[in-house]
């Protein structure tokens, strides 16, 4: 779900997808993450980029609370 919000985007959808993603971010991390996502959205719109991401594999590292997603 979250990979789709970040990597399957269009200039028309990126703002809504970022707002949706930020809704799920713990409050203590929003101030750090939001400016980066706004810059990302601005670049998508400025360059008229589109992207579709299809996850293929997930590697869960429970000890470090990390998830690696690979795909096309």
């Amino acid at each position: 779900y979250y990979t789709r919000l970040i990597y399957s985007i269009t200039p028309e959808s990126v703002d809504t997808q970022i707002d949706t993603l930020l809704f799920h971010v713990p409050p203590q991390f929003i101030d750090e993450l939001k400016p980066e996502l706004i810059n990302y959205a601005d670049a998508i719109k400025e360059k008229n980029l589109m992207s579709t991401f299809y996850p293929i594999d997930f590697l869960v590292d429970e000890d470090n609370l990390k998830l690696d997603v690979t795909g096309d």
Side-chain angles (χ1 to χ4, degrees), residues 5-21:
L5 290 174
I6 296 171
Y7 297 119
S8 291
I9 52 95
T10 67
E12 295 79 22
S13 70
V14 69
D15 289 329
T16 301
Q17 287 175 239
I18 285 175
D19 288 342
T20 302
L21 179 63

Side-chain angles (χ1 to χ4, degrees), residues 5-53:
L5 290 174
I6 296 171
Y7 297 119
S8 291
I9 52 95
T10 67
E12 295 79 22
S13 70
V14 69
D15 289 329
T16 301
Q17 287 175 239
I18 285 175
D19 288 342
T20 302
L21 179 63
L22 286 171
F23 178 79
H24 297 281
V25 173
Q28 66 267 30
F29 299 113
I30 288 180
D31 288 341
E32 180 180 344
L33 187 58
K34 189 173 183 176
E36 292 182 38
L37 292 174
I38 289 171
N39 289 339
Y40 174 70
D42 289 345
I44 296 296
K45 292 182 280 187
E46 179 182 311
K47 297 175 182 175
N48 199 32
L49 299 174
M50 293 184 227
S51 174
T52 302
F53 181 75

